[in-house]
């Protein structure tokens, strides 16, 4: 995180472990993605097991998000 911030000072990067005081650590993917959306953040994840299904569900429900990488 520190290197990312140093190279891109205009970019806001947060770890789920520190963001919102760690309150979202261990919470559902949907809850984390909704919280990120509320703050205008894109979710960056390596989760290829559950995130694709969540994104399909959200699309079917017309639920918007800021993006997922």
């Amino acid at each position: 995180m520190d290197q990312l911030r140093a190279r891109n000072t205009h970019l806001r990067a947060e770890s789920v472990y520190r963001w919102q005081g760690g309150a979202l650590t261990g919470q559902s993917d949907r809850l984390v993605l909704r919280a990120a959306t509320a703050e205008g953040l894109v979710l960056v994840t390596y989760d290829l097991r559950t995130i694709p299904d969540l994104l399909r569900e959200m699309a079917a429900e017309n639920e918007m998000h800021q993006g997922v990488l």
Side-chain angles (χ1 to χ4, degrees):
M1 248 354 117
D2 293 334
Q3 289 180 2
L4 180 61
R5 286 188 192 111
R7 291 179 187 214
N8 300 285
T9 56
H10 65 282
L11 181 69
R12 180 178 171 197
E14 302 281 351
S15 164
V16 72
Y17 299 107
R18 294 166 73 186
W19 176 47
Q20 296 187 2
L24 295 170
T25 302
Q27 297 298 319
S28 73
D29 294 335
R30 186 179 293 257
L31 184 65
V32 173
L33 188 52
R34 282 180 175 160
T37 299
E39 292 192 27
L41 299 174
V42 172
L43 178 66
V44 178
T45 181
Y46 289 104
D47 182 355
L48 296 176
R49 187 176 59 84
T50 62
I51 292 294
D53 289 338
L54 173 60
L55 294 176
R56 281 189 282 278
E57 289 172 20
M58 290 177 73
E61 297 164 4
N62 292 317
E63 186 170 351
M64 303 301 292
H65 56 80
Q66 294 298 111
V68 178
L69 297 174

